Amino acid sequence: MDSRKESPEETRERLRREELKKNPAGAFSDGVNRAEFGNLADLVGGLGWKGTGILILILIIGYVIYKLLF
């Protein structure tokens, strides 16, 4: 291990990778459940602040277009 201290995000990612190696069937099941029910925290965490801003902008523009057409 490094002598430097891990951030909470790095710790979560390391633990997730270790779990994937130990239990691939469970990881597949988790992936299916996330895809079915969605998890906004995972989505936003993976995008970063720029990606989150673009996602919000797309949602707002889509809503405005929907309201104009219907």
Side-chain angles (χ1 to χ4, degrees):
M1 281 276 178
D2 283 339
S3 61
R4 70 179 183 93
K5 195 160 178 113
E6 283 184 325
S7 71
E9 293 84 13
E10 291 171 333
T11 304
R12 277 193 297 271
E13 183 62 26
R14 181 179 51 79
L15 291 172
R16 188 184 67 80
R17 282 193 308 260
E18 289 174 4
E19 180 64 27
L20 286 173
K21 289 178 188 175
K22 291 179 192 173
N23 188 3
F28 176 74
S29 174
D30 289 344
V32 170
N33 287 337
R34 280 192 198 118
E36 185 176 341
F37 300 113
N39 187 347
L40 186 59
D42 287 341
L43 173 65
V44 173
L47 290 176
W49 71 270
K50 289 180 185 176
T52 304
I54 291 171
L55 179 64
I56 291 170
L57 190 62
I58 290 172
L59 289 173
I60 291 171
I61 291 170
Y63 179 74
V64 169
I65 290 173
Y66 172 79
K67 281 298 192 180
L68 288 174
L69 296 176
F70 299 105

